[in-house]
Amino acid sequence: MSRRIKRTNQEPRSRDERKESRPFKARSANKAGPRPGRKLGAKPPRFAGERAERRPPKTELEQAAPVKPVEVLLPTKVQTVKVTADENNMRVDRFLEARFPGLSFSHIQRVVRKGELRVDGKRVDSKDRLEEGQSVRIPPLKLDTPKAVGELSEAAQKTLAALKEMTLYEDDDVLVLNKPAGLAVQGGSGMTRHIDQMLEVLRDSKGQKPRLVHRIDRETSGCLLIAKTRFAASHLTGAFRSRSARKTYWALVPGLPKPKQGRISTFLAKEESEDDTIMRIAQHGDEGASHAVTYYAVVETAGNKLTWVSLKPVTGRTHQLRAHMEHIGHPIVGDPKYFNIENWQLPGGLQNRLHLLARRIVIPHPRGGVIDATAPLPPHMQQSWNLLGLDASRFDPIENAPEE
């Protein structure tokens, strides 16, 4: 197959758009890698012998032991602290959470947003990273009072059971959840239930709760990686920054993308309005523009109307896959933000919900070996696959896409 760039008919000719769509070359049969016919959930040969069984006899979710309340000194006045070596490169919000277990997510965001917390005298964002030796001004904080429990409350038990039902993989350091569509990863305005809040029931004896390593959209279902220790969080976030993590998504789109395998490269920038926030295609140099790269591959088609595509994001921008598929003229079915094909009718029997699944994540384990977790189709996508006659066990050609 030629490596020459092949443009899609939706692509502008201008170089400034920084977009290219080209087929990726399949590996030759004598090279290590998946062979045609291998199911997506099977272990890639490249990882053979690397992945060890890491599940302990009983997991934290299975034990569900009640924890003792943690005594935390309440900062009743402004204080200034130094960032330690152990806290180097830690995000501002994680820094506060580690220093003051029990501090709510909303309170952290509020003190940072209002500029009450300063680093070396300057305002910061909650996602900014700290450096050893920096001075952090911390305002008076209001901590959520830890509950003294002999047994978990009924609500906590239900939350624990829900997390256990979502669990795809767990060991002492890592938890991989199958997040259902419609459940947010983090809280927002008026939102009371989300994954970050649910993780409160897993606080350890030191008051530390598991940490989110990455995020997926509220309406996207599938693999969500959680670090249960600070050690694991540091290594896993490092793997994402170095692009050692491999993620695969499945989606259902209208029409048939051409070529059937390709690369989408654009710049994306946030566009906010009174009613909504979306990511728009931008040009290099635009304010707030970030480079985004996605590989896609057609897995199977249902007539000429709908196509099952597999997606591999190289970068991790907000709404990247949704914006990229809309950009090449094949927005994801049920997407309330990016599906804008006029007069397009959803086939009977299919639900008008986002058909996007975080299907699989493969990432080095902090203590050696490889984490490889696969999520099943959510109910509304399984219904669509059944109605369209799509076979979820088919070989996924995205396996042959490059790593960058």
Side-chain angles (χ1 to χ4, degrees):
M1 185 180 293
S2 172
R3 295 181 66 85
R4 181 171 58 86
I5 295 175
K6 295 184 179 180
R7 297 183 178 274
T8 63
N9 55 8
Q10 291 84 11
E11 180 184 7
R13 296 181 180 274
S14 170
R15 288 179 177 270
D16 292 337
E17 287 292 328
R18 303 283 297 182
K19 174 189 175 292
E20 49 184 316
S21 179
R22 62 185 181 219
F24 45 79
K25 189 175 182 179
R27 297 176 182 144
S28 58
N30 61 350
K31 292 185 179 180
R35 291 191 291 268
R38 184 176 65 79
K39 295 182 180 181
L40 182 67
K43 184 177 2 180
R46 75 174 73 180
F47 299 126
E50 290 184 8
R51 185 181 176 197
E53 180 61 44
R54 307 196 59 83
R55 182 180 287 273
K58 282 191 177 182
T59 67
E60 183 175 331
L61 286 175
E62 292 167 335
Q63 292 178 10
V67 298
K68 296 179 179 179
V70 181
E71 293 185 5
V72 182
L73 294 177
L74 181 68
T76 57
K77 60 182 180 179
V78 174
Q79 57 180 272
T80 301
V81 299
K82 291 285 187 181
V83 178
T84 66
D86 187 47
E87 294 164 334
N88 185 53
N89 202 41
M90 185 179 286
R91 282 174 38 154
V92 171
D93 52 1
R94 301 302 182 209
F95 170 84
L96 281 176
E97 184 183 40
R99 288 264 182 160
F100 305 103
L103 190 63
S104 69
F105 171 80
S106 59
H107 192 50
I108 291 174
Q109 298 300 313
R110 185 165 58 254
V111 299
V112 174
R113 184 175 64 250
K114 290 184 176 181
E116 295 175 0
L117 181 142
R118 301 276 178 136
V119 177
D120 289 342
K122 299 178 181 178
R123 294 177 69 115
V124 292
D125 187 85
S126 60
K127 296 180 181 178
D128 290 343
R129 296 187 179 273
L130 299 170
E131 297 179 4
E132 181 183 356
Q134 286 184 316
S135 296
V136 182
R137 176 194 182 276
I138 301 175
L141 300 173
K142 181 180 178 181
L143 300 180
D144 293 340
T145 305
K147 296 179 180 179
V149 292
E151 296 181 357
L152 291 173
S153 67
E154 183 178 352
Q157 289 178 8
K158 289 181 179 180
T159 298
L160 200 65
L163 288 171
K164 184 175 181 180
E165 187 176 354
M166 294 180 207
T167 300
L168 296 172
Y169 173 86
E170 187 191 12
D171 61 30
D172 290 338
D173 296 290
V174 180
L175 178 65
V176 183
L177 299 178
N178 177 22
K179 187 192 79 67
L183 179 61
V185 172
Q186 281 187 309
S189 178
M191 195 174 298
T192 57
R193 183 174 173 81
H194 49 84
I195 294 293
D196 197 39
Q197 174 262 332
M198 295 174 71
L199 293 175
E200 290 286 346
V201 301
L202 296 181
R203 283 191 181 274
D204 62 20
S205 58
K206 296 180 180 179
Q208 297 295 310
K209 77 171 187 179
R211 300 165 172 82
L212 299 167
V213 177
H214 68 123
R215 291 148 186 79
I216 56 179
D217 296 339
R218 180 176 182 175
E219 295 305 323
T220 302
S221 64
C223 296
L224 181 67
L225 188 64
I226 310 290
K228 295 171 65 177
T229 62
R230 185 180 299 176
F231 168 80
S234 176
H235 282 73
L236 294 173
T237 53
F240 273 91
R241 284 197 299 271
S242 65
R243 298 181 183 175
S244 300
R246 296 195 298 116
K247 296 181 290 182
T248 300
Y249 288 75
W250 283 2
L252 189 68
V253 302
L256 176 62
K258 294 182 181 180
K260 290 186 176 181
Q261 297 178 356
R263 178 179 185 269
I264 307 170
S265 174
T266 71
F267 284 84
L268 295 175
K270 185 177 293 186
E271 186 173 275
E272 296 182 303
S273 65
E274 293 183 2
D275 301 325
D276 206 356
T277 298
I278 64 170
M279 301 301 290
R280 63 174 178 83
I281 303 300
Q283 295 187 10
H284 181 48
D286 286 358
E287 182 179 358
S290 299
H291 190 216
V293 177
T294 302
Y295 286 94
Y296 72 87
V298 170
V299 184
E300 193 174 4
T301 61
N304 295 321
K305 183 147 187 166
L306 292 166
T307 299
W308 162 19
V309 294
S310 187
L311 304 165
K312 181 180 180 180
V314 177
T315 52
R317 312 303 178 200
T318 301
H319 295 177
Q320 176 177 318
L321 303 180
R322 298 163 66 181
H324 270 175
M325 293 312 294
E326 188 275 333
H327 179 54
I328 66 170
H330 301 279
I332 299 172
V333 170
D335 193 330
K337 290 180 180 285
Y338 297 92
F339 197 100
N340 55 7
I341 301 178
E342 293 184 6
N343 301 320
W344 191 86
Q345 296 294 322
L346 186 71
L350 273 64
Q351 298 182 46
N352 190 23
R353 301 182 63 185
L354 182 65
H355 281 58
L356 180 62
L357 165 70
R359 170 66 173 176
R360 185 182 180 194
I361 187 166
V362 181
I363 189 171
H365 194 285
R367 301 189 188 275
V370 175
I371 302 164
D372 188 348
T374 300
L377 288 165
H380 71 283
M381 289 182 66
Q382 184 64 66
Q383 179 184 16
S384 298
W385 259 237
N386 292 342
L387 289 169
L388 298 171
L390 302 175
D391 181 5
S393 67
R394 286 180 64 94
F395 168 68
D396 188 348
I398 205 69
E399 290 285 350
N400 292 329
E403 299 299 322
E404 58 183 9

